[in-house]
Amino acid sequence: MDPLWTGCFCLQCVREKEVGVVEDLGQFKKLIKEGPSCIVWPLQSVVGRLSLRVQQLDVLCETKTKDNVFIQVGVAVQYRVVTEAAYDAWYRLTSPTSQIQAYVFDVIRSTVPRMELDQAFESKDDIAGAVLEQLQSVMKDYGYAIVNTLVTDLAPDSKVKASMNEINAARRLKEAASHQ
């Protein structure tokens, strides 16, 4: 071994369900899996760790329905890093949550305006499916798998809710009166 070389081996531990990114003088060297790994310090370093667990991003998007009612649509996106594509997940996207959120906004704002308010409530699964399909096709290129998407909330303005409740109450009173 060269007597001028003064590096030493350093033990790095990566937690369960994580992957570590190792760089050699600023250049990608390798991915290390969970457990202990040996790196050549100070030439190499673990510059980051990615969780392989399923994570959830909650997105709230305001849009207008076909019948001109503004509603808040809540979408939960469950995603994870694909182990084999961890390089892409680390180096290709700076902010995966911002990317996911942008695509959710795009799908919601192109899907819901074609529906009337009542139809939007009935089509929550269709909306979630459209978001899932779009995200899966885009995010796989960045090392992410979209596990599931759920429409968790459809909330019209409080005045619209009150108006809808009054209409339903009047209809029920009318039905009750006709049955007497």
Side-chain angles (χ1 to χ4, degrees):
M1 187 175 250
D2 187 353
L4 295 176
W5 191 77
T6 59
C8 64
F9 291 96
C10 182
L11 191 63
Q12 286 284 320
C13 288
V14 177
R15 297 180 128 195
E16 185 85 18
K17 292 292 180 187
E18 284 187 353
V19 64
V21 180
V22 176
E23 287 184 354
D24 189 357
L25 297 174
Q27 182 179 8
F28 174 75
K29 183 69 174 177
K30 62 183 175 180
L31 296 171
I32 55 175
K33 299 202 187 292
E34 54 205 29
S37 294
C38 204
I39 63 169
V40 181
W41 185 86
L43 302 176
Q44 293 180 340
S45 61
V46 177
V47 294
R49 299 166 199 273
L50 289 168
S51 175
L52 300 176
R53 292 183 235 159
V54 174
Q55 301 174 62
Q56 180 167 309
L57 175 65
D58 294 314
V59 180
L60 193 60
C61 176
E62 184 177 54
T63 190
K64 185 171 81 166
T65 62
K66 189 176 184 178
D67 47 355
N68 294 322
V69 177
F70 280 92
I71 60 172
Q72 293 277 339
V73 181
V75 179
V77 179
Q78 297 166 344
Y79 65 98
R80 67 177 181 79
V81 171
V82 178
T83 308
E84 298 77 28
Y87 174 89
D88 292 327
W90 181 259
Y91 287 103
R92 292 196 63 205
L93 275 183
T94 303
S95 178
T97 56
S98 297
Q99 186 85 6
I100 291 170
Q101 187 175 22
Y103 279 104
V104 170
F105 282 176
D106 182 54
V107 173
I108 295 297
R109 290 182 177 152
S110 65
T111 305
V112 175
R114 290 186 264 142
M115 303 175 180
E116 293 189 355
L117 181 61
D118 292 337
Q119 185 184 6
F121 277 101
E122 294 168 3
S123 303
K124 285 170 63 172
D125 290 340
D126 296 337
I127 297 168
V131 172
L132 179 65
E133 184 179 315
Q134 177 71 22
L135 284 175
Q136 281 178 332
S137 68
V138 170
M139 295 305 290
K140 71 178 178 190
D141 294 335
Y142 296 107
Y144 288 89
I146 305 301
V147 177
N148 201 4
T149 58
L150 305 164
V151 174
T152 56
D153 191 25
L154 284 171
D157 184 67
S158 59
K159 292 177 185 174
V160 174
K161 276 187 194 177
S163 174
M164 289 173 71
N165 287 337
E166 287 176 20
I167 291 169
N168 286 332
R171 185 170 21 118
R172 287 190 182 110
L173 286 173
K174 186 176 181 181
E175 284 178 18
S178 69
H179 283 43
Q180 289 180 352

